[in-house]
Amino acid sequence: MPLTCQLIDNQQLWEQYVLSRPEANFLQSANWAEFQQALGKKVFLIGVFDNQQQVGAMLAVKENAKRGNYLAIAGGPLLDWQQLTDQQLKEVFGYLKKLAKQERCLFVRFRPQALDTPELRQKLSVLNIKESPMHLTADLTLQLNLEQTPEEILNGMRKNTRYEVRKAEKEGITVITSSNPDDIKEFYEHQLELAAKHHFVPFSYEFLHEQFRIFAADNQALLISSYQNGKLLATAYVLFYNREAVYHYGISTDTNDRLPGSYACQWAAILEAQQRGCRVYNFWGIAPKEDTEHRFAGVSTFKRGFGGDEVAYLPAHDLPVSPLYKLTYWFEMLRKRSRHL
């Protein structure tokens, strides 16, 4: 039987299916769709069906960009990749190509929630796709197994990380959690300071606030902040979805220099995730160990200190829809080099 794709307008049915997929994360959730819509973007919730049975899902966002509009599928499509025949794979991506043309997009960019293996790359070789010059979401991640005791987690940390976690308690550092969207204002202001200091492009206030507001309304987001003597040291912005906690963003203040405030935030976030029944604490993106010049090398060393396993997903790939895609490809290649990504 050929696979068919159709739009789904019932968020409850969408969530029911997505949550049945153990690999699914917040990037394919109904709340992520609502967040994107709050930013004024067009969102497509696409179900993949074998006869009447749903066998896949794809949350696609139309990104309007000067370099060319495109459909973005982050953390998806959610499919049983190895079970699909070549013909079925062509049917799914044929639908996406048709939709992209209808929306006047130059290409479809996707980064599935699937491990980067030779088998998967071989599977996708039947499609006219190529690896994207830019990231869509974190490809190389660090994930900590939470199905162990806190003491076991501590023992799995690097010695100096474990020391800093325990030092935070001795230094009188306290941790406070918040699900109040109004507290994003302070987080945003400190992010601006860090962006100016480390030369990166910060997220907009609207982007951070709307995302937090929507996920926090369903008890899926927390700001976890550390303080000493009433002064803010650091904050971790954590999302909770499908039994996974994700350290999505973070800030550290000048007051935190030489203090273990960031360690206190991460330890509190790990314990919070365990209390919520999460299986995994995902530290999100890390730089390859060998790339010591990567702009995220320092924070990656910090994350690796907590232990966990490095998980590499298939990097973003593009399905060209228009001949103009070539111009976008080379533009993004130049941007990647200029930003040292």
Side-chain angles (χ1 to χ4, degrees):
M1 288 289 293
L3 296 183
T4 58
C5 299
Q6 62 186 60
L7 296 177
I8 295 176
D9 58 9
N10 186 315
Q11 288 196 354
Q12 186 174 355
L13 289 177
W14 178 265
E15 278 292 279
Q16 183 177 333
Y17 179 78
V18 171
L19 289 172
S20 75
R21 309 281 310 213
E23 79 275 25
N25 71 9
F26 67 92
L27 292 168
Q28 288 289 301
S29 69
N31 277 341
W32 189 256
E34 184 181 343
F35 157 60
Q36 296 291 339
Q37 289 170 328
L39 297 181
K41 297 180 183 180
K42 199 170 183 178
V43 176
F44 305 88
L45 299 179
I46 306 162
V48 181
F49 294 86
D50 184 355
N51 200 0
Q52 298 298 315
Q53 182 180 1
Q54 187 171 357
V55 295
M58 306 180 286
L59 191 166
V61 179
K62 183 179 180 181
E63 297 286 356
N64 297 314
K66 292 181 180 178
R67 63 187 184 277
N69 298 341
Y70 62 97
L71 292 182
I73 306 174
L78 297 172
L79 297 167
D80 294 321
W81 294 97
Q82 293 306 318
Q83 294 181 22
L84 292 179
T85 66
D86 290 353
Q87 180 58 35
Q88 288 174 327
L89 198 58
K90 290 176 181 178
E91 289 162 358
V92 172
F93 280 83
Y95 176 89
L96 289 173
K97 191 170 185 176
K98 182 179 179 181
L99 177 63
K101 284 183 176 179
Q102 289 175 353
E103 293 298 321
R104 298 184 178 181
C105 292
L106 302 186
F107 60 98
V108 179
R109 177 162 292 167
F110 67 101
R111 201 286 269 153
Q113 199 71 359
L115 299 181
D116 187 7
T117 64
E119 292 78 14
L120 179 56
R121 289 189 180 243
Q122 176 61 34
K123 192 78 177 178
L124 291 170
S125 66
V126 301
L127 303 172
N128 179 30
I129 62 172
K130 64 189 306 178
E131 190 165 334
S132 169
M134 301 292 284
H135 293 289
L136 183 54
T137 184
D139 302 330
L140 181 61
T141 64
L142 182 69
Q143 302 185 20
L144 177 65
N145 174 21
L146 296 181
E147 294 179 323
Q148 51 184 329
T149 67
E151 196 60 34
E152 288 171 334
I153 294 175
L154 281 166
N155 290 336
M157 296 179 185
R158 286 179 183 161
K159 183 178 178 180
N160 65 315
T161 300
R162 184 167 57 249
Y163 170 79
E164 295 292 343
V165 168
R166 288 172 170 160
K167 180 184 175 184
E169 299 176 5
K170 297 176 182 177
E171 293 276 349
I173 292 173
T174 58
V175 175
I176 296 174
T177 63
S178 172
S179 58
N180 186 347
D182 291 342
D183 291 336
I184 287 294
K185 181 66 174 174
E186 184 178 19
F187 183 94
Y188 168 72
E189 290 171 350
H190 285 294
Q191 181 210 221
L192 290 181
E193 294 173 3
L194 287 172
K197 184 176 180 181
H198 297 290
H199 310 292
F200 65 86
V201 179
F203 293 107
S204 69
Y205 173 74
E206 180 188 22
F207 181 93
L208 293 169
H209 180 270
E210 288 303 298
Q211 184 182 144
F212 190 83
R213 177 185 65 80
I214 289 166
F215 279 90
D218 280 342
N219 195 30
Q220 294 176 352
L222 273 183
L223 293 177
I224 301 176
S225 302
S226 58
Y227 295 83
Q228 187 185 60
N229 299 324
K231 293 184 178 180
L232 177 66
L233 303 180
T235 299
Y237 182 134
V238 183
L239 297 178
F240 304 88
Y241 185 78
N242 203 15
R243 297 190 68 194
E244 177 185 62
V246 176
Y247 172 40
H248 208 199
Y249 315 111
I251 60 96
S252 177
T253 68
D254 290 340
T255 308
N256 193 45
D257 289 350
R258 298 190 180 87
L259 287 173
S262 298
Y263 293 90
C265 288
Q266 291 304 315
W267 182 235
I270 289 168
L271 295 179
E272 174 71 25
Q274 280 197 312
Q275 290 176 3
R276 289 172 176 246
C278 293
R279 299 167 299 165
V280 172
Y281 185 81
N282 192 335
F283 286 92
W284 212 230
I286 52 173
K289 285 182 179 179
E290 64 276 10
D291 192 354
T292 56
E293 299 300 316
H294 197 287
R295 67 176 184 173
F296 297 137
V299 71
S300 298
T301 299
F302 164 75
K303 291 177 179 181
R304 285 186 171 103
F306 289 87
D309 299 312
E310 296 188 19
V311 179
Y313 294 105
L314 184 82
H317 277 65
D318 294 342
L319 174 68
V321 173
S322 163
L324 295 176
Y325 166 75
K326 291 181 181 179
L327 297 176
T328 299
Y329 179 85
W330 288 112
F331 173 82
E332 291 187 337
M333 284 293 291
L334 291 172
R335 174 181 283 186
K336 180 179 181 180
R337 290 171 185 167
S338 68
R339 293 184 177 180
H340 305 289
L341 295 173

